[in-house]
Amino acid sequence: MKPIEYIESKHEENLNELKEFLRIPSVSAKSEHKTDIERAAWWVSEKLRAAGIDNVDIVPTKMHPLVYGESLHAPGKPTILFYGHYDVQPAEPLDLWTTPAFEPTVRNGNLFGRGTADDKGQVHIHLKAIEALQNTLGKLPINLKVIIEGEEEIGSVSLWDFVRQNRARLKSDALVVSDTSMLARGVPSITYGLRGLNYYQIEITGPAQDLHSGVFGGAVPNPITILSETIAKLHDRDFRVTVPGFYDDVATLSRDERKALKALPWKEKEFRKTVGAPALCGEKGYSIVEQLWSRPTLELNGIWGGYTGEGAKTVIPSKAHAKLSTRLVPNQDPAKIAKQVERYILKLLPKTVKGKFEVLSTGKPWVAPYSHPIFQKALHALEAGFGKKAVFIREGGSIPFVTQMYDTFKVPCVLMGFGLPDENAHAPDEHIALENYFGGIKSVALFYEQLATL
Ligand code: BES
Ligand code: MN
Ligand code: MN
């Protein structure tokens, strides 16, 4: 049997097995899910073994275990490192899910559930492609190293140590990742750029304790008002970030790249529909695609303080908080940007309050050429697996491991994503289109098979 026939004969079986994976609530952000995280790592290790990968290890780390395995039985053939993550984002708010987050359900050709697109569904695509090659060819046509981690959604903190301690072991000719999206339905895509991410938290303290707003209001600073005023100053009318120096190192797009991005089959109407806001706003002078993929941003991710419960409570809070982040593009330096943001925000605060600024994580942007012959193999595999023309895109999200691997080993990184921008990653009703899940398995199997002749 050919790998593709094998894959077609396994549709139902594969889908049911993916559902099993999705039922494990491996939420990395919450300590109450520690045992679920361990179960998910174990599940992945079992499936890797079943797919013919040997030396599968569950590697403990300071936080969540990662799964590592390899199959090195193709002397003289390329060695590929495949990376993915088995952890998922929290499912809250639970009441906004049509069917429960950890009870995967098929509706209208989509599989719904937390982790379907990001990233369990995409990891499973590779597991099943590897299994198909192993079971039809008798062995893998290339050398494969696999690393599936459990901390991607919280910044891949422990992964750094593992990479540093296993440099030789991780050496490979290319990195392959499926944790991104296709440009649109029917447009298989290879991502050659991601933005970096810095994450911050601020705390503003006014009065030494909460105060009765009738007794004290009018004479004392209100930290929520001051936080809001401060936040309102971080952008100007053209939606540019006002932090001094923020744009200093930003690389401008070449004319060729601007042209290439403009030529992509990207539909503004679909984007507007996905967003669902009354109108869009973005940095003046750039197309939406440029704003999303090639421009840095500063976003507020959360703001809290004072009384937010039921009914009224007349209080001037002692403290107000916000979580914010900056998406970074070449050639911005995360450490430099963090300093600039901190300095500016603290400078904006009036003398009536004290400010505390914390940097929770930093991460570099990644953009790389796609001239290496492996990208042509990837393009062909996607086109064969989907029967559609494939394109090269950049994206606005961040994957810390990709940047790190590229910086450490300077190997080509092939990001073949099988999600879609409107599949609600990180949100209620996350889903993956079954056509992309099944097309993905075929494409990846073809890709790994064709890499034998790289
Ligand atoms: N899979 C995403 C990254 C992504 C999303 C890439 C969309 C391209 C398009 C990943 O799981 C993720 O959510 N990353 C985080 C960063 C991380 C450090 C928490 C992100 O981008 O916010
Ligand atoms: Mn992901
Ligand atoms: Mn994610």
Side-chain angles (χ1 to χ4, degrees), residues 274-417:
T274 304
V275 174
L280 298 178
C281 67
E283 190 187 352
K284 219 172 151 180
Y286 298 89
S287 73
I288 296 174
V289 166
E290 289 168 0
Q291 287 167 359
L292 298 172
W293 299 350
S294 78
R295 300 297 296 169
T297 62
L298 183 153
E299 295 287 351
L300 266 296
N301 303 111
I303 174 165
W304 71 103
Y307 184 69
T308 55
E310 197 181 342
K313 181 187 180 199
T314 46
V315 65
I316 297 172
S318 165
K319 290 179 193 298
H321 303 87
K323 286 185 187 282
L324 64 158
S325 54
T326 47
R327 294 280 167 181
L328 308 178
V329 301
N331 299 310
Q332 287 178 299
D333 169 33
K336 187 172 161 188
I337 295 291
K339 272 273 150 271
Q340 288 172 345
V341 173
E342 170 169 12
R343 211 175 298 134
Y344 185 56
I345 288 180
L346 293 180
K347 213 184 91 189
L348 285 177
L349 295 179
K351 286 198 180 63
T352 48
V353 293
K354 275 195 303 253
K356 190 170 116 191
F357 186 95
E358 273 177 282
V359 181
L360 301 191
S361 65
T362 61
K364 284 169 75 176
W366 169 76
V367 177
Y370 46 89
S371 48
H372 190 283
I374 193 170
F375 290 99
Q376 285 310 310
K377 296 271 186 198
L379 213 57
H380 289 142
L382 285 170
E383 291 178 350
F386 282 87
K388 298 269 175 21
K389 204 176 143 17
V391 296
F392 286 100
I393 63 171
R394 279 167 69 164
E395 285 186 276
S398 313
I399 307 173
F401 186 68
V402 172
T403 315
Q404 213 212 1
M405 283 301 292
Y406 189 73
D407 284 353
T408 313
F409 296 101
K410 286 280 172 280
V411 289
C413 302
V414 184
L415 275 58
M416 317 174 114

Side-chain angles (χ1 to χ4, degrees), residues 79-84 126 142 144-145 147 172-179 374 378 401-402 411-416 418 444 447-448 451:
T79 300
I80 298 300
L81 177 65
F82 167 63
Y83 162 85
H126 286 257
I142 51 164
L144 192 62
K145 302 178 174 181
I147 179 166
S172 54
D173 299 304
L175 173 68
V176 173
V177 178
S178 290
D179 190 24
I374 193 170
F401 186 68
V402 172
V411 289
C413 302
V414 184
L415 275 58
M416 317 174 114
F418 302 108
V444 170
F447 179 50
Y448 285 154
L451 284 183

Side-chain angles (χ1 to χ4, degrees), residues 246-262:
F246 190 74
Y247 294 97
D248 282 0
D249 302 325
V250 171
T252 46
L253 285 178
S254 70
R255 274 184 57 192
D256 283 353
E257 191 174 10
R258 238 183 158 168
K259 235 174 84 185
L261 295 184
K262 208 167 168 215

Side-chain angles (χ1 to χ4, degrees), residues 88-359:
V88 298
Q89 287 272 325
E92 285 82 0
L94 300 180
D95 53 317
L96 294 185
W97 287 79
T98 308
T99 47
F102 298 106
E103 293 174 25
T105 312
V106 173
R107 283 196 301 279
N108 298 329
N110 295 311
L111 176 63
F112 286 80
R114 173 57 86 232
T116 44
D118 186 11
D119 179 34
K120 284 173 168 172
Q122 300 206 50
V123 165
H124 199 247
I125 284 173
H126 286 257
L127 294 178
K128 294 299 106 180
I130 296 166
E131 182 205 79
L133 294 174
Q134 183 77 35
N135 288 352
T136 53
L137 308 177
K139 71 182 194 77
L140 292 186
I142 51 164
N143 301 298
L144 192 62
K145 302 178 174 181
V146 179
I147 179 166
I148 314 290
E149 68 151 323
E151 290 181 21
E152 198 278 340
E153 297 294 6
I154 49 172
S156 300
V157 186
S158 304
L159 199 56
W160 289 177
D161 292 337
F162 182 77
V163 172
R164 239 175 275 124
Q165 289 158 15
N166 292 275
R167 272 187 77 114
R169 203 170 167 204
L170 292 176
K171 206 175 164 309
S172 54
D173 299 304
L175 173 68
V176 173
V177 178
S178 290
D179 190 24
T180 50
S181 297
M182 296 166 41
L183 182 69
R185 202 172 269 273
V187 188
S189 312
I190 298 170
T191 299
Y192 67 91
L194 296 166
R195 289 192 286 192
L197 177 72
N198 278 4
Y199 207 99
Y200 322 99
Q201 184 163 325
I202 45 184
E203 179 186 272
I204 289 180
T205 309
Q209 69 284 314
D210 287 6
L211 300 172
H212 188 296
S213 67
V215 178
F216 293 92
V220 302
N222 184 318
I224 299 182
T225 309
I226 289 162
L227 177 62
S228 314
E229 282 168 359
T230 308
I231 287 170
K233 286 176 188 146
L234 298 178
H235 290 91
D236 68 15
R237 283 162 173 277
D238 294 330
F239 301 105
R240 278 174 69 87
V241 177
T242 52
V243 174
F246 190 74
Y247 294 97
D248 282 0
D249 302 325
V250 171
T252 46
L253 285 178
S254 70
R255 274 184 57 192
D256 283 353
E257 191 174 10
R258 238 183 158 168
K259 235 174 84 185
L261 295 184
K262 208 167 168 215
L264 287 170
W266 184 87
K267 300 216 172 59
E268 181 166 338
K269 217 175 126 194
E270 264 178 47
F271 180 77
R272 285 179 183 274
K273 202 174 128 211
T274 304
V275 174
L280 298 178
C281 67
E283 190 187 352
K284 219 172 151 180
Y286 298 89
S287 73
I288 296 174
V289 166
E290 289 168 0
Q291 287 167 359
L292 298 172
W293 299 350
S294 78
R295 300 297 296 169
T297 62
L298 183 153
E299 295 287 351
L300 266 296
N301 303 111
I303 174 165
W304 71 103
Y307 184 69
T308 55
E310 197 181 342
K313 181 187 180 199
T314 46
V315 65
I316 297 172
S318 165
K319 290 179 193 298
H321 303 87
K323 286 185 187 282
L324 64 158
S325 54
T326 47
R327 294 280 167 181
L328 308 178
V329 301
N331 299 310
Q332 287 178 299
D333 169 33
K336 187 172 161 188
I337 295 291
K339 272 273 150 271
Q340 288 172 345
V341 173
E342 170 169 12
R343 211 175 298 134
Y344 185 56
I345 288 180
L346 293 180
K347 213 184 91 189
L348 285 177
L349 295 179
K351 286 198 180 63
T352 48
V353 293
K354 275 195 303 253
K356 190 170 116 191
F357 186 95
E358 273 177 282
V359 181

